[in-house]
Amino acid sequence: LVEILVAVLIFSIVIGAVLGIFGFSIKNQTKSLNYQEVLDQTSYTMEYMSRNLRMARKDTTGECLGAIGNNYINPSGDSSIRFLNYNGKCQEFYLDNGQLKQKKSENNKSADFGTASALTSHNLNINSIKFIDPICLPVGTAETIASPESLFF
């Protein structure tokens, strides 16, 4: 009887340790997958935005940006940026309720924006984003930046 109790106790301790390790590894796997999802979304979004901003055109009519000759403007402060994309269509990136969104027009006019589409999922909450205009940087630094930068927080 004593031997059976000792065997059951040892078996219970071993099973408890194995289940604890298994639970710990499942929890860490879930964390890793969540981090990977955040990295995937931010990487895709930053690449998509930077590609579009790099290829921005000058607005020769002023119908997208409101002024002739600009490449981009910040219509709602630093948390949004509007530009004429490589297809000649007016496009805007902006932050809305923790989600990064974009609007595109079917032509070069900002008045003809369609419905907004999300660039990030509702599971990813962005607290703030700031588009930095290189023209507004201190003297000597704007020469090294050819297009606007964006920072996620």
Side-chain angles (χ1 to χ4, degrees):
L1 183 65
V2 173
E3 294 86 11
I4 293 174
L5 286 175
V6 170
V8 167
L9 178 66
I10 292 172
F11 181 73
S12 298
I13 290 172
V14 169
I15 293 297
V18 168
L19 288 176
I21 291 170
F22 182 70
F24 180 74
S25 64
I26 293 290
K27 186 171 127 183
N28 282 340
Q29 176 72 16
T30 303
K31 272 186 185 178
S32 294
L33 290 173
N34 288 338
Y35 287 136
Q36 185 64 42
E37 182 181 346
V38 168
L39 288 173
D40 287 345
Q41 285 190 39
T42 54
S43 175
Y44 165 77
T45 303
M46 291 299 290
E47 179 61 31
Y48 178 77
M49 289 185 345
S50 67
R51 186 175 350 108
N52 279 285
L53 289 169
R54 263 194 323 268
M55 298 174 71
R57 295 175 161 186
K58 282 193 184 299
D59 187 359
T60 56
T61 64
E63 292 179 324
C64 177
L65 305 179
I68 295 174
N70 287 346
N71 282 20
Y72 42 83
I73 61 167
N74 300 99
S76 304
D78 291 340
S79 64
S80 68
I81 190 163
R82 183 181 300 158
F83 57 96
L84 199 60
N85 68 17
Y86 63 93
N87 289 326
K89 297 180 180 182
C90 196
Q91 187 171 353
E92 183 175 338
F93 295 126
Y94 64 98
L95 186 62
D96 182 32
N97 293 325
Q99 200 172 20
L100 198 57
K101 295 186 176 183
Q102 73 171 344
K103 292 188 284 189
K104 286 185 183 179
S105 68
E106 292 300 319
N107 52 32
N108 65 344
K109 300 176 183 171
S110 61
D112 295 335
F113 275 133
T115 57
S117 60
L119 294 176
T120 57
S121 77
H122 64 279
N123 294 331
L124 178 64
N125 186 34
I126 300 172
N127 294 329
S128 70
I129 187 168
K130 186 173 185 176
F131 294 98
I132 301 171
D133 187 348
I135 295 170
C136 299
L137 293 175
V139 175
T141 57
E143 293 84 22
T144 61
I145 303 172
S147 62
E149 293 184 351
S150 56
L151 303 172
F152 282 103
F153 294 105

